[in-house]
Amino acid sequence: QVQLVESGGGLVQAGGSLRLSCAASGRTFSSYAMGWIRQAPGKEREVVAAINWSGGNTYYADSVKGRFTISRINVKNTVYLQMNSLKPEDTAVYYCAGRATQSSSATPYDYQYWGQGTQVTVSS
């Protein structure tokens, strides 16, 4: 089992950048696929980025391609989401999530472990 704690959210102007971090506990982190999943008010949860266990395979939602980058450092039990060129429509609660398999998924409900979430607000 793994526990996840996000940090790095906040308020930023449109066009700005933020980096989210997710610290994981547990010895099995390196065997888990990880994802960043967001939920805006009144909207469904959306996997915006995901990464497999090794970092060699990534997925991005069309809405963030070219602007967001997911990465992980297994020896530090940490996964990151670098968000550039932020837009007001990126405003949401962002969750770090883990999946007890090596392959990532674009489906939120495939992830078994979730952090508490961090708010990202982009002002216009």
Side-chain angles (χ1 to χ4, degrees), residues 51-83:
I51 191 166
N52 73 333
W53 68 280
S54 68
N57 185 275
T58 56
Y59 161 84
Y60 296 97
D62 287 343
S63 57
V64 307
K65 277 182 184 175
R67 301 187 297 121
F68 289 13
T69 302
I70 188 171
S71 60
R72 66 190 295 164
I73 302 178
N74 284 343
V75 295
K76 292 187 176 182
N77 278 16
T78 304
V79 63
Y80 303 97
L81 184 67
Q82 178 67 43
M83 305 186 294

Side-chain angles (χ1 to χ4, degrees), residues 63-111:
S63 57
V64 307
K65 277 182 184 175
R67 301 187 297 121
F68 289 13
T69 302
I70 188 171
S71 60
R72 66 190 295 164
I73 302 178
N74 284 343
V75 295
K76 292 187 176 182
N77 278 16
T78 304
V79 63
Y80 303 97
L81 184 67
Q82 178 67 43
M83 305 186 294
N84 298 328
S85 302
L86 283 161
K87 303 175 181 180
E89 52 263 44
D90 294 318
T91 295
V93 177
Y94 284 71
Y95 298 91
C96 173
R99 184 165 186 246
T101 66
Q102 294 184 347
S103 299
S104 63
S105 172
T107 303
Y109 301 104
D110 284 343
Y111 292 83

